[in-house]
Amino acid sequence: MPVYSMTGYASVQKTLQQAEGENATSPHQHTRLGLEIRSVNSRFLDLGFRLPEELRQLEPALRELVTKHLRRGKVEVRASLEAGEGAALPSPSPQALQRLAALQDKIQDWLPKARDLSVADVLRLNQGSSSTQPVDDAAWTALALEAIDALREARAREGARLTEMLQGHIGQLLALAEQAVPLVPQLVEQQRLRFLERWKDAMALADGNHLPETAQDRALTEATAFAIRIDVAEELTRLRAHLDEISRLLDKGGDIGKRLDFLIQELHREANTLGSKSAVLEMTRISVDMKVLIEQMREQVQNIE
């Protein structure tokens, strides 16, 4: 299953067929039905619809389709129903003209400065109030599915790009972890030798109030405590385990965004601990480089569904 980004865009259009029995001068013979869907990242599925009044009754079916195929993201859906270039303008009926004239007189009684309706105003109002060709449910569903499929394809392409980038970051983090592994025993050994030298110096300066055994125990205790404090083997093991799990989820695909976000938090915690236990400049550099890569991964994961 592919990895889906929450960022995508799709736009589809369909020319409505002239209904059977309509004459050649039907004003709706070239009506175009359009559907545009765009989405960006969001913690949950946040749907917004902008539909003309003629299509408002179809919103529940569209909402159900989008909810069925998308899990997360801020999704904006726009639909349009327009007449094409070849469409004839609908002729206003006498009854419609009478209603418009009556409305104009009523408005001007209250607003004397309101201007008279122009021919363009009358045609526009008549076109908006005239009955449009009904949109067949099957045609609407087919168009909606086509738009959703196109959006999912766009999100899948973006998801593949994000997956490639994340896998690259995983490789870099594993390489940094490998650089950190040999540093720990070296640091422990260096510190052990340093404490032994201090112990020998203490023995040379010891007077009758301090026994050699006491000084040696103190040196060994401090050496052990330091070794425990700088040992990051457990952090490196957990970090590699988290990276393996992220890689497994990316290979699996599907609805993995929230799990990836949690694992990124765990990676950041391990990298912080690695830095806090750092006893040499090289380990500090590795920790900083890890946190930079993890922050880049966080930004990418926040776009995954």
Side-chain angles (χ1 to χ4, degrees), residues 209-276:
N209 297 326
H210 294 84
L211 296 177
E213 292 80 2
T214 304
Q216 184 178 19
D217 289 344
R218 176 66 182 274
L220 292 175
T221 299
E222 292 187 10
T224 302
F226 181 80
I228 294 174
R229 191 167 66 251
I230 68 171
D231 186 6
V232 294
E234 185 177 350
E235 283 76 13
L236 292 174
T237 299
R238 285 198 298 264
L239 187 140
R240 283 193 290 261
H242 295 329
L243 291 174
D244 290 342
E245 179 64 11
I246 291 175
S247 184
R248 186 190 71 81
L249 288 174
L250 292 173
D251 291 338
K252 175 185 175 183
D255 186 11
I256 60 173
K258 291 184 178 180
R259 296 188 65 181
L260 289 177
D261 189 58
F262 171 76
L263 289 169
I264 292 297
Q265 295 178 31
E266 295 301 306
L267 282 179
H268 200 273
R269 181 178 293 113
E270 304 303 339
N272 273 335
T273 305
L274 194 69
S276 65

Side-chain angles (χ1 to χ4, degrees), residues 141-249:
T141 300
L143 186 71
L145 287 174
E146 182 182 350
I148 292 172
D149 287 343
L151 178 69
R152 284 172 60 82
E153 289 176 5
R155 286 165 63 130
R157 288 193 298 271
E158 178 66 14
R161 188 184 68 83
L162 292 174
T163 298
E164 184 179 356
M165 296 175 66
L166 287 169
Q167 292 286 18
H169 290 333
I170 289 173
Q172 294 179 62
L173 285 169
L174 288 173
L176 288 171
E178 290 302 316
Q179 294 176 27
V181 170
L183 293 178
V184 177
Q186 294 175 13
L187 290 172
V188 174
E189 180 63 18
Q190 290 174 7
Q191 193 64 18
R192 188 184 70 82
L193 293 175
R194 185 180 305 170
F195 276 119
L196 286 175
E197 291 176 0
R198 291 180 180 177
W199 177 71
K200 291 177 181 178
D201 293 341
M203 293 304 96
L205 299 174
D207 53 24
N209 297 326
H210 294 84
L211 296 177
E213 292 80 2
T214 304
Q216 184 178 19
D217 289 344
R218 176 66 182 274
L220 292 175
T221 299
E222 292 187 10
T224 302
F226 181 80
I228 294 174
R229 191 167 66 251
I230 68 171
D231 186 6
V232 294
E234 185 177 350
E235 283 76 13
L236 292 174
T237 299
R238 285 198 298 264
L239 187 140
R240 283 193 290 261
H242 295 329
L243 291 174
D244 290 342
E245 179 64 11
I246 291 175
S247 184
R248 186 190 71 81
L249 288 174

Side-chain angles (χ1 to χ4, degrees), residues 110-159:
W110 287 92
L111 302 171
K113 294 184 179 180
R115 66 177 180 84
D116 293 337
L117 290 171
S118 66
V119 174
D121 293 334
V122 172
L123 290 175
R124 177 174 52 80
L125 292 171
N126 180 68
Q127 186 177 18
S129 61
S130 62
S131 60
T132 60
Q133 179 178 333
V135 178
D136 180 76
D137 287 348
W140 174 253
T141 300
L143 186 71
L145 287 174
E146 182 182 350
I148 292 172
D149 287 343
L151 178 69
R152 284 172 60 82
E153 289 176 5
R155 286 165 63 130
R157 288 193 298 271
E158 178 66 14

Side-chain angles (χ1 to χ4, degrees), residues 60-91:
L62 180 58
R63 181 180 294 273
E64 183 178 352
L65 286 173
V66 173
T67 304
K68 181 179 179 181
H69 291 87
L70 303 179
R71 295 291 178 268
R72 295 174 64 200
K74 182 177 177 59
V75 182
E76 182 179 316
V77 183
R78 293 172 178 262
S80 61
L81 190 61
E82 320 180 314
E85 289 184 7
L89 291 174
S91 298

